Amino acid sequence: MDDAKTAPTSTLKGEKSQPLSKVGKQLISPLRKWYRSHSRELPWRTTHDPYLIWVSEIMLQQTTVKAVIPYFDRFMKLFPSVQDLATASESEVFRAWEGLGYYRRARFLHQAAQVIVTKLNGEFPTDVAGWLSLPGIGRYTAGAIVSFSFDKPAPILEANTVRLYARLLGLQEDVKSTSAQKKLWQFAEAIVPEDRPGEINQALMEIGSQICRPVEPMCATCPLAKACQAYAMNLQTQIPVIKSRVKITKVIEYMVAVERDGKFLLRQRKADERWAGMWDFLRWTSPFDDVERFDKKANPKSHSKSSHTASELSALEDALLLQVGCKLEVQSLELVFVHHVTRYALTQVCVRAHPLNLKTNNKQALIKEVDDSPCMWVKPEEFAAHPLSTSARRFANHLLKRIHTPQLPGMD
Ligand code: ADE
């Protein structure tokens, strides 16, 4: 879509009432008025620079505004221009992204910067189609960048506006369904004005996040309440309808820090693995799924050796022998925590292990590769220089602290 507004094809209630564009007109003036006195000052709102807006939008897909601000500021200091981003190494970009999660987005951001610099002469696209042709850019992001940077009337639909539009429309179907998505995008197209659309899109998102909140929406102070079907039907807490499709799977995953001469083994994750390209400790998924034994409240001994069965530990050591090519012995249980990734709740059991029967010139023991991936031996003080997955960073920070304040190992 080349930023031209397509003709609205549905109506506010999906019935024979006024066309959407008319409804849009009703919303514009109260929206602008409200936004001018209530908008938060955010680093990406005081600019029309597409680079800043693009990076902020990708980061905002990951987490909240509050959490993004320090990442955004740091990222802009490290890579002040698209040229700086394009010429950085992937590792540097991952390191700056670390903690935000979904590293694929950082990889796409980096790749898109390289396309802009090498194929587009460093010029940013100025329309939705141009942005959509870049890696990692979807319809929402393209619309946001084009409307905020170039003030072109492109529709937007993200978490805040889905909720807001669903309530304004009184949409009583699953917002993720194809038919609801179609209605929501049509609504988004119909309400975006030709005149200063960037401001309206920002205002819609802001009202979605500040007033039309997921729980306890502030309808009494909402400037759009008069036009809101959900409010009229007193269904604002039932809308949006979100059908949960994901069932959380609980998994016990061991993270193994192999230690030798004060250094720890890190392995780079492969292209087809989650957190591709990041560095990591060794991992092994336990065939047992009784995660309750690691619940500290229910089982005070859960973080001691007694929470591992002998057969589990020997299965772990066998698996490590296969992965690494030399016998490792688990020394201590260091840390247990739960890490959520997509539909998995991973109970991360972090242990320290060392190679057995090591001779310094034993080639195998130097371990340069695990499972066809490059490895390196790193001092705890050097962990900070390498991009690690969020869970590996937690273990790395624990090890760093532990090395500097030695205690008795937790494994009794
Ligand atoms: N969420 C996504 N994009 C946003 C923006 N530009 N401002 C505030 N919240 C957002």
Side-chain angles (χ1 to χ4, degrees), residues 7 18 64 81 194 198 234 341 362 408:
Q18 50 196 328
T64 60
S81 71
E194 297 285 338
N234 197 25
V341 188
N362 177 344
L408 287 174

Side-chain angles (χ1 to χ4, degrees), residues 42 44-45 57 60 65 140 148 158 202 205:
L42 302 172
W44 48 88
R45 283 200 180 147
E57 285 303 331
L60 286 159
V65 165
Y140 159 71
F148 302 158
E158 43 67 74
Q202 290 279 15
M205 258 195 278

Side-chain angles (χ1 to χ4, degrees), residues 287-354:
F288 301 91
D289 59 3
D290 52 339
V291 293
E292 294 70 26
R293 74 194 137 106
F294 291 105
D295 182 346
K296 223 173 180 176
K297 270 192 212 136
N299 174 13
K301 283 207 155 182
S302 65
H303 293 194
S304 72
K305 196 174 181 177
S306 60
S307 59
H308 311 255
T309 60
S311 56
E312 188 175 33
L313 272 187
S314 70
L316 168 62
E317 289 178 351
D318 288 350
L320 291 172
L321 173 62
L322 275 181
Q323 270 190 43
V324 173
C326 75
K327 180 90 180 135
L328 299 176
E329 185 182 55
V330 174
Q331 279 167 282
S332 58
L333 171 63
E334 292 287 330
L335 185 68
V336 178
F337 61 91
V338 181
H339 182 65
H340 293 268
V341 188
T342 58
R343 60 182 192 85
Y344 295 97
L346 303 171
T347 292
Q348 306 274 253
V349 184
C350 306
V351 298
R352 234 153 122 175
H354 62 174

